[in-house]
Each structure stands twice: as C-alpha cells, then as structure tokens.
C-alpha cells in the first residue's frame, strides 16, 4: 500500500495492465484506498528456453512489463497543482 500525504484528495488511478504470453504473465492493478493506493503486481517468466524465431514475442512481453513498471501514480492537493 502507498499512503498519500495529508490533504490529498485528487488521485488518478491508472488502468489495470494484464499481459499474458506463452513466456509469462504480468499484472499491475492499482486501486484507490481511503489513505492512498493499493498496488498489486505479478510477474512471471515461465519459459526456460525460447526458440530464436520467438525472440520478438518475448521481447514484446518484456517491453510491455517495462512500460507498465514505469506507471506513475499521480495525486494533488485539493485545488493545487500536481
């Protein structure tokens, strides 16, 4: 859980991310709470080996994970700027 500073009422909750491939699964789910955010993150890499012709699929999965892990949680004080 992530607590936001006192006086913060305006919070932006990012959309959930769910990636499923033959090589793994990734979930990022952020939910608002009374005091901030509850973040659930799951990452699994299930393949022990990847055939050369499937490298692009694996790279796309890992790129999606990297993008999702850079998700910004934004919040601002009421009537203030971020």
């Amino acid at each position: 859980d992530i607590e936001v500073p006192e006086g913060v009422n305006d919070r932006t909750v990012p959309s959930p991310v769910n990636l499923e491939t033959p090589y793994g699964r990734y979930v990022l789910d952020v939910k608002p709470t009374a005091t901030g955010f509850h973040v659930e993150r799951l990452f699994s890499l299930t393949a022990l080996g990847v055939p050369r012709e499937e490298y692009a699929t694996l790279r796309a999965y890992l790129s999606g994970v990297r993008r999702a892990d850079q998700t910004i949680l934004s919040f601002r004080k009421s009537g203030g700027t971020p």
Side-chain angles (χ1 to χ4, degrees), residues 11-23:
R11 294 173 280 166
T12 302
V13 178
S15 299
V17 177
N18 189 357
L19 307 173
E20 292 195 45
T21 72
Y23 303 108

Side-chain angles (χ1 to χ4, degrees), residues 35-50:
T35 59
F37 301 99
H38 176 75
V39 179
E40 290 191 28
R41 180 187 181 273
L42 168 81
F43 171 76
S44 66
L45 191 58
T46 56
L48 296 176
V50 178

Side-chain angles (χ1 to χ4, degrees), residues 25-64:
R25 181 171 179 231
Y26 177 88
V27 174
L28 179 65
D29 191 21
V30 180
K31 297 201 182 310
T33 66
T35 59
F37 301 99
H38 176 75
V39 179
E40 290 191 28
R41 180 187 181 273
L42 168 81
F43 171 76
S44 66
L45 191 58
T46 56
L48 296 176
V50 178
R52 181 176 298 169
E53 59 273 6
E54 292 293 318
Y55 284 0
T57 302
L58 177 61
R59 274 194 300 271
Y61 168 61
L62 295 174
S63 291

